[in-house]
Amino acid sequence: MTKKSKIWIAVTGAAWAAVSSSALIAVTPSLARGQPIDGSTEQIHDRAAQALVQGRLLEALQGFNEVLEREPFNASAYYNRGNVRHLRREFELALEDFTSAIKYRPGFAAAFMNRGVVNSNLSRLDDALSDLDKAAEFDPSNPDVFFNRAIVQVKRDAMESALSDYEKIVQLDGSVAGVAQARLRLSALLTQVDELAVVGRERTRRIVAEIDHARSVEAVLAFAERTCIRLGDDHQALVNVAQLDGWTSATAAQLARGSTANHKLTAGWMATNNLGSIAIVQSQSVPEPHLVSCSITAKLGDQHWFEDLATLFSSKFGAPSLVIREFDDKRVSQQVVVREDQARVEVILQQTTVGNLVTVGTRHSRESTRDAAK
């Protein structure tokens, strides 16, 4: 396969019981050393990979089978067929394919990781840990490796090791400056599981859910702090961040359509990161121009995820415990954060009942900001 040919294989939590819902595995198809490049085979491989992404598993399986009939040493085809077979719950066959991928491409970190996931789901925990250790050795910058290893550690009841892997996850995600504090925040969530007194698989399931929630919540809170909380009242600073991160700007017509008689949208962007697509909006009150608002909105989590968001928000910003108010169409929690410059920022956390759209909104008074700066 050529270097230009890159297929993204999406792995979702619904399909992989032990893989984070945010995990994406980048696969660059390539032939084993010494194999001739066959353009038609490359096309078959890429069509099969696209079918895998779109959930057409039988079509994907047939495509990878054809590739391997032509090129029986193609590590990428074995790897991707292993993904198909795992999604089809053909676990032993998936293990064989991942093993072949590793045989023909030594050091294939993604194959080690996914073989570890399959072994974990089959409760072969020693084999799973060995595979994930290898994946961490070959790809030490991939947080999903450590997420999956943390799950294995939970199953082994090695919670200190699981928490150490969680520290590595948030460090590699780049969402938290103080990983030790993030570990403490996760530990606080896990005490809620202990209070439920559940055991066995149900306890493992709940712990894994809390780890997954904490990881994404930390990313949301870090993004909110970097944008709306710190810069929600500074238009140019937000523009600079948008340019640095490559956000897509809203047009003047879009901003005009979103404005009302009492509220003018002054800027808007769409950002894409490991959380998915995020809308960032800055606005200004028309009757009270010194009042400026900022919000980030994304489709994230369920009701319990929102409860964890409120809990970790309180812990991260040293705020009192948040009260979640339930309405027919949404749940809302409000708080005040005092920034480093001593400006008071009103924060509203909100999740819609339908669609689970989560918004972290901030309200700033430029007058109070100036007073705090004096």
Side-chain angles (χ1 to χ4, degrees):
M1 303 296 170
T2 66
K3 292 183 179 179
K4 293 181 180 180
S5 177
K6 177 174 282 189
I7 303 301
W8 290 87
I9 305 303
V11 184
T12 67
W16 292 79
V19 177
S20 164
S21 59
S22 63
L24 286 175
I25 300 174
V27 182
T28 305
S30 61
L31 294 173
R33 182 174 299 176
Q35 294 297 306
I37 295 176
D38 183 332
S40 62
T41 304
E42 177 182 353
Q43 293 174 2
I44 295 169
H45 182 284
D46 288 0
R47 283 197 300 269
Q50 190 62 38
L52 171 55
V53 170
Q54 296 174 355
R56 303 193 308 273
L57 300 185
L58 180 58
E59 179 183 339
L61 181 62
Q62 292 170 341
F64 293 129
N65 284 343
E66 185 174 352
V67 171
L68 289 169
E69 287 175 4
R70 298 181 179 207
E71 300 173 0
F73 308 110
N74 190 316
S76 293
Y78 279 115
Y79 169 78
N80 284 321
R81 192 174 71 176
N83 288 331
V84 173
R85 284 175 161 170
H86 187 272
L87 291 171
R88 287 164 57 94
R89 304 188 66 80
E90 299 169 348
F91 300 131
E92 296 296 342
L93 293 175
L95 287 177
E96 291 178 9
D97 277 344
F98 291 135
T99 299
S100 294
I102 292 166
K103 175 182 177 180
Y104 295 119
R105 188 188 300 172
F108 196 166
F112 274 111
M113 181 176 77
N114 286 1
R115 191 174 72 175
V117 170
V118 175
N119 276 319
S120 174
N121 290 340
L122 290 171
S123 297
R124 299 170 185 170
L125 300 184
D126 289 343
D127 291 338
L129 185 59
S130 176
D131 281 337
L132 290 163
D133 284 344
K134 280 291 187 181
E137 176 186 342
F138 292 123
D139 190 7
S141 62
N142 185 351
D144 293 321
V145 170
F146 297 95
F147 178 88
N148 286 301
R149 194 171 71 178
I151 293 173
V152 173
Q153 300 292 16
V154 170
K155 291 181 176 181
R156 292 165 60 91
D157 203 26
M159 287 307 301
E160 286 301 311
S161 295
L163 290 171
S164 295
D165 274 339
Y166 179 72
E167 286 189 9
K168 192 70 174 177
I169 293 165
V170 295
Q171 180 184 21
L172 291 171
D173 280 342
S175 58
V176 181
V179 294
Q181 289 74 23
R183 174 176 176 150
L184 290 175
R185 289 192 286 271
L186 172 60
S187 296
L189 289 183
L190 295 181
T191 60
Q192 300 174 9
V193 177
D194 293 334
E195 291 169 359
L196 294 173
V198 292
V199 297
R201 290 186 177 180
E202 179 61 17
R203 180 175 184 273
T204 297
R205 186 190 69 79
R206 288 178 180 268
I207 290 174
V208 170
E210 295 296 359
I211 293 174
D212 196 23
H213 287 185
R215 179 185 182 185
S216 58
V217 167
E218 291 284 2
V220 169
L221 293 179
F223 189 83
E225 182 180 23
R226 178 171 176 251
T227 55
C228 287
I229 293 176
R230 288 185 179 178
L231 306 176
D233 55 347
D234 189 334
H235 174 74
Q236 187 56 52
L238 271 181
V239 169
N240 293 342
V241 172
Q243 293 175 342
L244 180 66
D245 289 0
W247 301 349
T248 302
S249 298
T251 65
Q254 289 172 324
L255 296 175
R257 284 196 299 270
S259 298
T260 66
N262 293 321
H263 227 64
K264 177 183 178 182
L265 301 190
T266 55
W269 300 271
M270 286 296 297
T272 303
N273 57 23
N274 59 339
L275 295 169
S277 296
I278 303 175
I280 306 98
V281 176
Q282 190 179 44
S283 59
Q284 184 176 26
S285 170
V286 175
E288 300 178 272
H290 65 282
L291 295 179
V292 179
S293 299
C294 181
S295 66
I296 64 171
T297 301
K299 187 172 183 179
L300 295 163
D302 55 13
Q303 181 174 348
H304 182 57
W305 186 95
F306 186 75
E307 293 168 357
D308 286 345
L309 172 67
T311 299
L312 292 185
F313 180 95
S314 297
S315 178
K316 180 179 179 69
F317 294 104
S321 296
L322 296 183
V323 176
I324 298 176
R325 294 183 294 161
E326 298 282 349
F327 299 92
D328 290 340
D329 59 344
K330 61 187 175 183
R331 52 189 66 93
V332 178
S333 190
Q334 295 178 272
Q335 191 50 264
V336 173
V337 170
V338 179
R339 296 191 315 207
E340 294 177 354
D341 61 3
Q342 299 306 303
R344 290 170 59 84
V345 180
E346 298 178 34
V347 181
I348 299 177
L349 309 179
Q350 177 178 294
Q351 184 184 49
T352 61
T353 304
V354 178
N356 292 328
L357 283 176
V358 173
T359 297
V360 180
T362 60
R363 190 168 184 243
H364 312 255
S365 170
R366 285 177 172 161
E367 290 181 349
S368 66
T369 302
R370 286 194 295 268
D371 291 341
K374 291 180 180 178

